[in-house]
Amino acid sequence: MSKKLNLLMFSGEYDKAMAGLILANAARDIEVEVTMFFSFWGLFLIRDPETMTLEDKTIYEKLMDVITPKGPEQLPLSRMNFSGLGKLMLEEMIEEQGAPKLIHFLKGARKKNIKFYACKLSVEIMGFKPEELLPEVEIIDAAAYLKDALESDIQLFI
């Protein structure tokens, strides 16, 4: 019997994104189907810094691009960020333990064909262009997400 995990990634914080990706990768390792739905701040995790653009954006969208993380490596911590010092400490601790960083878990999820979905309304409100997201990302509406979640054995909100 096959199982399915559905993760709704709302947070744009490094440690929460890492927790979601650790679970997603571990689930794939035990042959669980995984879908991840990114909305609002979670979109920064699947933003491709190489394809960001300010073209054809409103002043608010341009401002949002300038003041928000450019991709997963720039996400702040949810607690004890201390203007980035806390994140540097955490990354050093991760390195000392020989553990993978967030970017490695993201690359693993991509290699393991975890399905990435972006919330259509969040993409529009936040001013993202589809080409600014990772190539694997499919943009879907809330109804499509809910259908997927209802077919899942486990749903998590991160």
Side-chain angles (χ1 to χ4, degrees):
M1 176 186 227
S2 65
K3 297 286 184 184
K4 185 172 179 180
L5 169 64
N6 176 284
L7 293 129
L8 192 156
M9 302 298 292
F10 179 78
S11 174
E13 297 162 322
Y14 188 93
D15 46 324
K16 292 178 183 178
M18 192 159 172
L21 285 167
I22 288 169
L23 291 173
N25 278 282
R28 284 301 299 139
D29 290 344
I30 60 170
E31 299 181 15
V32 172
E33 182 182 346
V34 179
T35 59
M36 299 180 80
F37 182 75
F38 300 85
S39 66
F40 287 98
W41 310 115
L43 292 170
F44 298 127
L45 182 59
I46 55 170
R47 176 190 248 178
D48 184 350
E50 302 298 318
T51 61
M52 286 181 58
T53 181
L54 297 177
E55 277 187 48
D56 300 321
K57 290 192 175 187
T58 68
I59 189 71
Y60 291 125
E61 292 169 343
K62 289 177 183 178
L63 185 58
M64 183 74 82
D65 278 358
V66 170
I67 63 174
T68 58
K70 307 303 177 253
E73 290 296 288
Q74 290 189 355
L75 297 178
L77 288 182
S78 63
R79 299 269 191 273
M80 297 175 39
N81 192 53
F82 303 126
S83 299
L85 181 60
K87 183 178 171 194
L88 287 174
M89 288 172 39
L90 178 64
E91 287 178 325
E92 293 247 348
M93 293 165 72
I94 288 170
E95 191 171 315
E96 285 176 8
Q97 293 298 316
K101 291 183 178 181
L102 172 68
I103 195 69
H104 300 119
F105 286 109
L106 181 60
K107 287 178 182 177
R110 294 173 74 186
K111 285 181 185 173
K112 293 174 184 175
N113 296 317
I114 289 173
K115 294 178 187 162
F116 290 168
Y117 297 120
C119 173
K120 182 180 186 300
L121 186 58
S122 295
V123 167
E124 292 168 357
I125 289 171
M126 301 289 279
F128 285 90
K129 303 286 183 207
E131 60 271 12
E132 292 179 289
L133 303 174
L134 297 174
E136 298 87 355
V137 175
E138 181 183 342
I139 298 173
I140 63 173
D141 64 18
Y145 159 72
L146 289 170
K147 287 177 185 175
D148 182 73
L150 287 168
E151 294 172 356
S152 297
D153 298 290
I154 302 171
Q155 301 90 29
L156 300 173
F157 184 96
I158 300 175

